[in-house]
Amino acid sequence: MRGFKAKIKVAVLVIISLWIGLAALYGLLKPISNGCIMTYMYPTYIPISSPHNLSAAKYGLYLYHEGWKKIDFKEHLNKLSGLPVLFIPGNGGSYKQVRSLAAESDRAYQGGPPERTFYQEASLTPEEGGVDMDSAGFQLPNQYNCMLDWFAVDLEGEHSAMDGRILEEHTEYVVYAIHRILDQYKESRDARAKEGAAVPGSLPKSVILVGHSMGGFVARAAIIHPHLRKSAVETVLTLSSPHQSPPVALQPSLGHYFAHVNQEWIKGYEVQTSRSGHYVSDAVLSHVVVVSISGGINDYQVRSKLESLDGIVPSTHGFMISSTGMRNVWLSMEHQAILWCNQLVVQVSHTLLSLIDTKTGQPFPSTRKRLAIFTRMLRSGIPQSLNLMRHSQLPEHSTHVPIEDEKDAAGSRVPTLSSCPSNVHWSDDGLERDLYIQTTTVTVLAMDGRRRWLDIQKLGSNGKGHFIFVTNLAPCSGVRLHLWPEKGKSTSNLSSSARVLEVTSKMVQIPSGPAPRQIEPGSQTEQAPPSAVFRLGPEDMHGFRFLTISVAPRPTVSGRPPPAASMAVGQFFNPEEGEKEFSPWTLLTSTYSQKYMLLKEDHPLSFNLSFTISLGLLPVIISLKTAGCGIKNSGLPVEEAGDVENSRLCKLRCFPPVALAWDSTSGLHIFPNLYTETIVVDSSPALWSSIHGSEKTTVLLLLDPHCSYKTSASVSVTAAAGRFLLVYWSQIIGFSIAVIFFALMRQAHAWDLDLPIPSMLTAVESNLRMPWPFLLLAIAPILISLFLSLLMFQPFPPIGSFIIISIICYLFANGSVIILILMSQLVFYVAAIVHVFIKTRWQVWEGNFFFVFLRRLLNLFSGIFSFKVIRVLRVNPLLVTALIAIVLVCFVHSALGLFILLVCHALCCHSALCSFLTASFRSHAQRMELFHSKNEANDGSQQFEFKYGDGFNQNSPSDENYSSSPDSAKSFGDTQLEIFHHRHGLLILHLLAALMFVPSLVAWLQRIGLGQSFPWFVDSALCTGVILHGIYNSKLENNSFLFPFPGIPGWGIRLSFIYLFAGYFSYLSGLALAPYRVFYAMAAIGVISFALRITQRRSMEKGDTYFSSRKHSHRH
């Protein structure tokens, strides 16, 4: 690499790459507080006997029992009468991880369903094929009549995320375990019948599968297994499980297995038709419901993008939900914490118990009803996108309807908003004097038993046609809201044509912290955080004149003492006044220059912040500082009043701010009690598979209008670096392979032009030059990907962000490859210098007694090399390397064969570099000899030749053929340096290939002694092609060949073009988040090289000149 600018460019790229890597490491290693509560249990694991076969001997099946008393296992098995649930652990997981779910399920069964609240509940969307569940007559059970029997498979803690063979064996055993569980219930029933005990009416017909991590994918793979009984599994719940692709997509067989399972699932939901298009039968998987729960932003191992079911399971049969938007959970958690986080475990337990039909004791057969239960129990009433929050949620026909449900002329039930039940109803006569609000903002600071009237026509004028209301009062029991067509004392006083509409059920629950404690009895406390939000649009209030807010008196809150502070704030507002958009430039400049925005008192209660760059890529630190709250005099001394007034006194008046963030990938994120918080969502923007809108994030801030705030938004650098590597590491790996292919292309092209072969560092730097090399190698593949999207009728990603992020990933891949090149070169040069130094001192030690003994010992062992087989192998080292590597790849493990290839490359690099250094020293000595030849004798030169007479490899010229001219020595040294550069490039490429198989090797080493099987054919075949590439392209002269197209003189295929095509393919594989596909390119080059060598040999025997070669004969 020559030129100061080139060195500066490489240095800057390396520094930036190192800085991003270190910042990401710092951000990812910081401790995380997830807010989860621990789950406690008294576990007992009962083994289930299995027939003696290979799978059963390796793995195990257990039944969980909760309780501290010792039980008889056989007797307990004979009493099985619940609904079977099978837990499948994930990568490196244990069957004992079932304990939290099983223990809470047992407590939930004994304690019954949770107390009902009257917040708005979620329902199936029209896209999910749903209707209003209440109008369909569906209700959650009031009690549980059947318990859950939790089983768990013991998969020996194997790393199924690293090897496709392990994943397939786990699937086969899970299929066996499902059958064994169903058979166990039959055996238990028969045993009770023999004893004369009571037997259940019906046996379980299916097993509910709950899988964690890779266990969730194993559950889906088991369902499409050909040996699984029909309808043996109808419900699947996965926790932090990858569905789209493997979390470590490095092994080809693992990627193939994922693709195969997903393709079978896509086909499974297609209706079976004949060739003529006539209906034959329902879809094979029409009875299966799948729900995926993701851990959110704190799950570093499996991101929400991988856990999505889009394109695999139709929305009518499943959905994904993040734990951050999950009802009664609202938390993001680590990959393992999702198994024991009590808030999530309790909600999952009640959800599974609600799936059981109280009449039959079996899960509901209707897929829509099961999906409706999952929706009602897991989703919150908060809309899944801000667009739904902005628009009306009331049915169009709900205007001017009475509180009671009506029936239309045909007698069918008309869906309406449900009113509060009678057991929590308090009559209008119980309300004290009515209050008439004259301002756009209404505040409730006490449970005073009053009704507040708001004139919609008057207060909602001047564009303020929207109303928002936040409170910590419970709906129905604490506060009720009605829309009135005209003023009246009670609903009974109105005519039948003008009835009141109760909209209390539109209040949606949001998470809130604990209520503040009173410091002294009777003293004022801080405002409690809001627990519900209520919103009405102009279309909701159309046809009504008044909105009333009725607050219950203190003694009527379900017999419980009221909170320390009661709060409610409502406001008519204009949404456009609270909109703020942050441009990319504003976010980027905020890293070093923060800009503050002052929100004065009487500001909108709702602020809509729009970020044009997803907070999943650039997390933003939002800071809110209370600037004032209208308190002119605190009554304290002047020196104490300032800080106290802006902090403690303002907290007595204003509720804590709340932020709601919407993201297209991970859904809803809620940040309560927000004063200084890093807002980050688990999104994956700017990917090839992204859609328009995925690059944006919308945040809704709820701020008390009685206080003024000083707010700022700045990018968190460490969090952004960590998100960059987490989201795009698969893309960066594919790009790194492409960078190496492009560098090898540069070397092969230089050989074709009869130019010196550049080093890998020089080749990588040359490919970064502007404009043409960079445009051809960095921009052209992106344009090709967009063209492919057009051909395949796929939606385009956000083009601007997609191109920018792809270029950044490509530059980071170049920086990473340069660091790897520099580190490997340092190792080789240090080893070569040490080798040369020892060689020069060899003659000095020749007379030493130890040296004589060592030489005799070597001569003794040299007799072994006289055997004919050994001599043949020594003459053909590449053949030996290829045989050993291919045998290991096909019969042991692919990584071991690639390591043998790496050793061959490393030895050749070391030998060539040592020869180059030796020739350089010799050339320098000869120049010194010529310079002093007129004045001195030739003693120094003879001494040097005495020391360096022995070559370092068989390619070194002999004494009789070696010229003493400096030019000749320089020519030999350059040849050896070119050999080093060439083999060094191959070593870097195959080193990355070997590293991609290291996770699979770790999983393979863990299973030693447990019964091994041969590697998958796909892995063996592809790695054999990689070995052929390393062997047949190891010599410099093999860099040049021209295989002509038949009938087209002057046109042919050169190796440089093949490397270019392989680089493009690797680039596209990275964009597709499938880096394992780069092995296709490596194997294809190996097969092509092997075929062309055979064709070249036959052509030379026939005298054809189809292949070009380099001119300089001394290089051959």
Side-chain angles (χ1 to χ4, degrees):
M1 183 176 60
R2 299 178 182 179
F4 180 75
K5 291 184 178 180
K7 295 179 180 178
I8 290 296
K9 179 171 61 177
V10 170
V12 170
L13 189 59
V14 169
I15 291 174
I16 293 177
S17 300
L18 287 174
W19 177 81
I20 293 177
L22 294 176
L25 188 64
Y26 173 79
L28 295 176
L29 293 181
K30 286 196 304 184
I32 299 174
S33 177
N34 53 31
C36 284
I37 301 174
M38 288 291 296
T39 302
Y40 298 93
M41 69 294 295
Y42 298 93
T44 300
Y45 305 97
I46 304 172
I48 306 297
S49 60
S50 303
H52 295 287
N53 57 52
L54 180 61
S55 297
K58 186 188 302 184
Y59 304 127
L61 178 63
Y62 291 85
L63 170 66
Y64 182 89
H65 171 71
E66 172 68 16
W68 57 271
K69 293 183 178 180
K70 189 175 181 180
I71 61 172
D72 181 82
F73 288 176
K74 184 176 180 181
E75 180 181 354
H76 184 78
L77 286 175
N78 291 338
K79 293 181 180 180
L80 280 179
S81 59
L83 184 70
V85 182
L86 177 61
F87 173 77
I88 309 172
N91 178 58
S94 169
Y95 67 95
K96 295 181 179 180
Q97 292 174 326
V98 71
R99 55 186 179 267
S100 297
L101 285 164
E104 285 300 336
S105 296
D106 185 72
R107 297 189 187 103
Y109 170 74
Q110 297 178 11
E115 182 180 354
R116 184 184 177 188
T117 59
F118 303 101
Y119 296 102
Q120 179 174 325
E121 295 181 332
S123 60
L124 295 176
T125 63
E127 293 79 9
E128 296 169 341
V131 295
D132 193 337
M133 289 179 289
D134 290 331
S135 64
F138 170 76
Q139 291 292 338
L140 293 175
N142 295 323
Q143 62 180 0
Y144 301 136
N145 296 333
C146 183
M147 66 181 300
L148 299 177
D149 293 330
W150 282 86
F151 296 83
V153 288
D154 179 13
L155 301 177
E156 296 292 338
E158 294 179 341
H159 292 86
S160 55
M162 301 179 181
D163 190 271
R165 175 66 69 183
I166 297 176
L167 202 60
E168 186 180 36
E169 293 181 1
H170 286 184
T171 301
E172 294 175 353
Y173 184 76
V174 166
V175 171
Y176 160 78
I178 294 171
H179 296 165
R180 183 69 187 90
I181 291 172
L182 295 176
D183 293 341
Q184 180 63 50
Y185 278 86
K186 186 176 183 302
E187 294 174 7
S188 301
R189 180 181 180 179
D190 294 342
R192 289 198 300 272
K194 289 181 180 180
E195 296 173 357
V199 295
S202 61
L203 295 175
K205 300 177 182 179
S206 64
V207 179
I208 298 176
L209 299 185
V210 177
H212 171 246
S213 187
M214 294 302 294
F217 178 79
V218 170
R220 286 202 305 114
I223 292 178
I224 54 99
H225 197 278
H227 296 161
L228 183 69
R229 299 174 188 172
K230 185 177 181 180
S231 300
V233 177
E234 295 183 339
T235 305
V236 179
L237 178 66
T238 65
L239 306 173
S240 293
S241 299
H243 295 293
Q244 296 291 335
S245 63
V248 186
L250 302 178
Q251 187 189 25
S253 61
L254 189 61
H256 271 277
Y257 192 62
F258 257 81
H260 166 71
V261 171
N262 287 341
Q263 189 62 33
E264 291 297 321
W265 269 77
I266 295 173
K267 294 180 180 179
Y269 283 109
E270 297 176 354
V271 177
Q272 304 296 315
T273 58
S274 63
R275 292 185 178 181
S276 58
H278 293 87
Y279 172 83
V280 176
S281 63
D282 290 336
V284 178
L285 300 179
S286 60
H287 61 285
V288 179
V289 171
V290 185
V291 173
S292 173
I293 300 177
S294 70
I297 192 65
N298 290 337
D299 189 349
Y300 293 162
Q301 298 184 36
V302 183
R303 296 159 305 284
S304 297
K305 182 73 173 180
L306 300 181
E307 300 173 62
S308 172
L309 297 172
D310 294 343
I312 302 174
V313 179
S315 58
T316 55
H317 288 75
F319 59 85
M320 184 202 78
I321 184 172
S322 174
S323 60
T324 56
M326 191 171 165
R327 182 179 177 181
N328 298 331
V329 180
W330 321 106
L331 297 171
S332 178
M333 54 202 69
E334 298 94 330
H335 191 66
Q336 298 295 332
I338 200 171
L339 287 172
W340 56 261
C341 183
N342 190 258
Q343 294 94 320
L344 185 139
V345 167
V346 169
Q347 196 67 21
V348 168
S349 300
H350 284 288
T351 301
L352 296 179
L353 286 168
S354 300
L355 293 173
I356 305 175
D357 189 350
T358 55
K359 298 178 181 178
T360 63
Q362 302 291 334
F364 288 104
S366 171
T367 57
R368 180 173 297 181
K369 186 164 289 188
R370 277 180 281 138
L371 190 64
I373 294 173
F374 277 116
T375 301
R376 176 75 69 87
M377 294 297 295
L378 299 182
R379 285 178 176 171
S380 67
I382 304 176
Q384 297 299 306
S385 66
L386 186 62
N387 292 331
L388 297 178
M389 192 72 176
R390 289 176 176 174
H391 296 87
S392 170
Q393 297 175 14
L394 292 178
E396 293 182 0
H397 55 267
S398 63
T399 308
H400 294 296
V401 295
I403 296 177
E404 293 83 5
D405 296 327
E406 288 186 340
K407 292 185 179 181
D408 58 14
S412 62
R413 192 173 182 181
V414 178
T416 64
L417 287 175
S418 60
S419 59
C420 294
S422 57
N423 60 336
V424 292
H425 178 72
W426 25 283
S427 63
D428 299 334
D429 298 334
L431 296 174
E432 298 181 4
R433 180 171 57 89
D434 290 348
L435 300 177
Y436 297 93
I437 307 302
Q438 302 297 323
T439 60
T440 57
T441 302
V442 57
T443 305
V444 177
L445 294 178
M447 300 185 69
D448 50 11
R450 294 184 176 184
R451 177 167 52 197
R452 291 153 175 83
W453 290 81
L454 292 85
D455 191 333
I456 297 174
Q457 184 176 354
K458 177 182 178 180
L459 301 179
S461 60
N462 299 325
K464 298 183 178 181
H466 294 257
F467 180 78
I468 190 170
F469 181 77
V470 294
T471 179
N472 72 325
L473 300 175
C476 294
S477 60
V479 64
R480 298 180 66 177
L481 297 98
H482 297 83
L483 289 172
W484 297 66
E486 59 187 58
K487 187 181 297 184
K489 288 296 182 181
S490 65
T491 59
S492 59
N493 296 334
L494 298 178
S495 62
S496 59
S497 61
R499 301 297 294 273
V500 179
L501 176 66
E502 180 167 15
V503 290
T504 308
S505 61
K506 270 183 63 68
M507 294 177 60
V508 293
Q509 186 180 14
I510 58 177
S512 61
R517 295 177 299 176
Q518 287 182 320
I519 301 176
E520 298 177 0
S523 63
Q524 186 179 0
T525 62
E526 296 179 1
Q527 285 290 341
S531 60
V533 60
F534 170 87
R535 186 161 181 159
L536 291 175
E539 59 275 12
D540 301 328
M541 296 180 286
H542 178 71
F544 295 97
R545 178 64 187 273
F546 294 96
L547 170 67
T548 60
I549 303 173
S550 303
V551 181
R554 281 181 179 270
T556 59
V557 189
S558 302
R560 298 179 180 179
S566 302
M567 182 278 300
V569 178
Q571 184 186 67
F572 284 93
F573 71 103
N574 184 357
E576 297 180 357
E577 296 179 357
E579 292 185 354
K580 171 68 176 177
E581 182 175 348
F582 291 86
S583 64
W585 179 252
T586 302
L587 292 177
L588 294 176
T589 56
S590 66
T591 56
Y592 57 87
S593 176
Q594 292 189 17
K595 295 183 180 180
Y596 291 91
M597 179 175 60
L598 181 62
L599 305 178
K600 298 181 180 180
E601 295 177 17
D602 201 25
H603 55 72
L605 192 153
S606 171
F607 275 90
N608 178 23
L609 308 182
S610 178
F611 297 88
T612 53
I613 298 181
S614 172
L615 301 187
L617 179 60
L618 289 182
V620 170
I621 302 175
I622 293 183
S623 177
L624 290 171
K625 297 180 180 179
T626 307
C629 50
I631 301 178
K632 304 300 182 181
N633 187 5
S634 62
L636 297 175
V638 177
E639 60 275 8
E640 301 179 9
D643 294 337
V644 174
E645 182 175 340
N646 292 335
S647 57
R648 185 176 65 85
L649 295 181
C650 287
K651 290 182 179 180
L652 299 178
R653 176 162 183 163
C654 303
F655 66 83
V658 180
L660 293 85
W662 278 269
D663 178 71
S664 59
T665 300
S666 54
L668 178 67
H669 301 253
I670 301 181
F671 303 88
N673 302 337
L674 180 139
Y675 286 102
T676 298
E677 187 76 33
T678 300
I679 307 296
V680 55
V681 297
D682 194 16
S683 180
S684 301
L687 297 176
W688 192 1
S689 58
S690 301
I691 58 176
H692 281 286
S694 61
E695 76 279 11
K696 297 182 180 180
T697 302
T698 303
V699 177
L700 183 69
L701 284 180
L702 301 178
L703 304 176
D704 198 315
H706 299 97
C707 287
S708 59
Y709 296 91
K710 186 178 181 182
T711 178
S712 66
S714 60
V715 173
S716 174
V717 177
T718 56
R723 288 296 304 169
F724 175 75
L725 289 188
L726 278 178
V727 174
Y728 302 108
W729 73 269
S730 296
Q731 191 166 311
I732 292 171
I733 291 177
F735 287 0
S736 299
I737 301 295
V739 168
I740 299 174
F741 274 132
F742 292 152
L744 294 176
M745 175 203 69
R746 181 74 64 174
Q747 289 185 341
H749 185 63
W751 182 272
D752 292 334
L753 298 180
D754 203 16
L755 298 175
I757 294 182
S759 66
M760 284 293 293
L761 188 61
T762 303
V764 172
E765 186 276 327
S766 300
N767 292 333
L768 291 173
R769 294 175 184 174
M770 296 289 289
W772 294 115
F774 188 81
L775 292 177
L776 179 65
L777 303 179
I779 307 298
I782 301 176
L783 300 180
I784 293 175
S785 67
L786 296 177
F787 180 71
L788 292 177
S789 298
L790 180 63
L791 292 180
M792 295 183 291
F793 301 100
Q794 294 180 352
F796 283 104
I799 296 179
S801 58
F802 173 62
I803 294 177
I804 293 174
I805 296 301
S806 299
I807 292 176
I808 294 175
C809 291
Y810 179 75
L811 293 176
F812 183 82
N814 276 271
S816 303
V817 171
I818 290 174
I819 293 174
L820 182 61
I821 291 173
L822 292 175
M823 293 177 61
S824 60
Q825 279 189 347
L826 177 63
V827 172
F828 278 120
Y829 271 92
V830 170
I833 291 174
V834 172
H835 189 178
V836 169
F837 174 77
I838 295 176
K839 194 71 175 180
T840 57
R841 303 298 298 175
W842 187 266
Q843 300 296 339
V844 178
W845 297 336
E846 195 172 60
N848 190 282
F849 172 79
F850 176 76
F851 178 82
V852 174
F853 174 77
L854 183 61
R855 171 168 288 187
R856 291 182 178 179
L857 186 62
L858 292 176
N859 292 334
L860 180 64
F861 283 102
S862 64
I864 300 176
F865 295 96
S866 61
F867 293 107
K868 184 175 181 179
V869 176
I870 302 299
R871 290 201 306 268
V872 172
L873 294 179
R874 290 184 63 187
V875 173
N876 300 281
L878 293 179
L879 177 62
V880 177
T881 302
L883 290 176
I884 296 176
I886 292 176
V887 168
L888 291 176
V889 160
C890 295
F891 298 101
V892 185
H893 195 276
S894 301
L896 300 179
L898 295 178
F899 286 152
I900 295 297
L901 183 62
L902 289 179
V903 172
C904 178
H905 288 326
L907 292 177
C908 183
C909 288
H910 177 73
S911 178
L913 193 57
C914 288
S915 298
F916 165 71
L917 293 178
T918 302
S920 299
F921 294 157
R922 179 181 294 165
S923 175
H924 176 72
Q926 288 178 350
R927 286 191 177 92
M928 294 298 296
E929 178 186 1
L930 292 175
F931 181 77
H932 297 290
S933 60
K934 295 181 181 180
N935 302 320
E936 298 180 359
N938 295 334
D939 296 338
S941 176
Q942 295 173 359
Q943 182 180 2
F944 180 84
E945 291 180 359
F946 174 76
K947 292 181 179 181
Y948 288 90
D950 295 333
F952 285 91
N953 58 31
Q954 57 187 359
N955 295 326
S956 299
S958 59
D959 292 340
E960 57 270 17
N961 296 330
Y962 184 77
S963 173
S964 61
S965 66
D967 294 336
S968 177
K970 180 180 179 181
S971 176
F972 171 74
D974 289 345
T975 302
Q976 296 302 310
L977 186 60
E978 288 186 352
I979 294 175
F980 170 77
H981 291 161
H982 170 64
R983 294 298 288 267
H984 185 222
L986 296 178
L987 182 140
I988 295 296
L989 177 65
H990 297 145
L991 174 61
L992 288 184
L995 292 177
M996 292 175 69
F997 269 97
V998 166
S1000 176
L1001 179 63
V1002 172
W1004 178 82
L1005 292 174
Q1006 182 193 21
R1007 307 181 74 202
I1008 290 181
L1010 297 179
Q1012 298 291 337
S1013 57
F1014 291 130
W1016 271 30
F1017 175 77
V1018 174
D1019 294 339
S1020 299
L1022 292 176
C1023 288
T1024 299
V1026 174
I1027 293 171
L1028 292 178
H1029 173 229
I1031 296 300
Y1032 282 94
N1033 289 90
S1034 60
K1035 295 183 179 180
L1036 277 175
E1037 55 267 25
N1038 292 342
N1039 260 344
S1040 179
F1041 56 79
L1042 177 64
F1043 187 74
F1045 290 117
I1048 308 179
W1051 288 76
I1053 301 176
R1054 292 190 180 274
L1055 184 61
S1056 57
F1057 175 79
I1058 297 177
Y1059 279 140
L1060 175 64
F1061 185 82
Y1064 278 175
F1065 182 83
S1066 300
Y1067 200 115
L1068 295 176
S1069 299
L1071 290 176
L1073 302 183
Y1076 63 87
R1077 295 179 185 172
V1078 300
F1079 283 96
Y1080 302 159
M1082 297 185 200
I1085 296 177
V1087 173
I1088 292 174
S1089 300
F1090 176 71
L1092 289 179
R1093 291 303 142 230
I1094 296 178
T1095 307
Q1096 180 184 22
R1097 179 171 298 180
R1098 293 181 179 179
S1099 300
M1100 293 176 63
E1101 292 175 355
K1102 296 179 180 180
D1104 297 334
T1105 57
Y1106 285 167
F1107 298 87
S1108 64
S1109 60
R1110 194 161 179 173
K1111 298 177 181 179
H1112 295 307
S1113 60
H1114 72 273
R1115 301 186 187 274
H1116 296 283

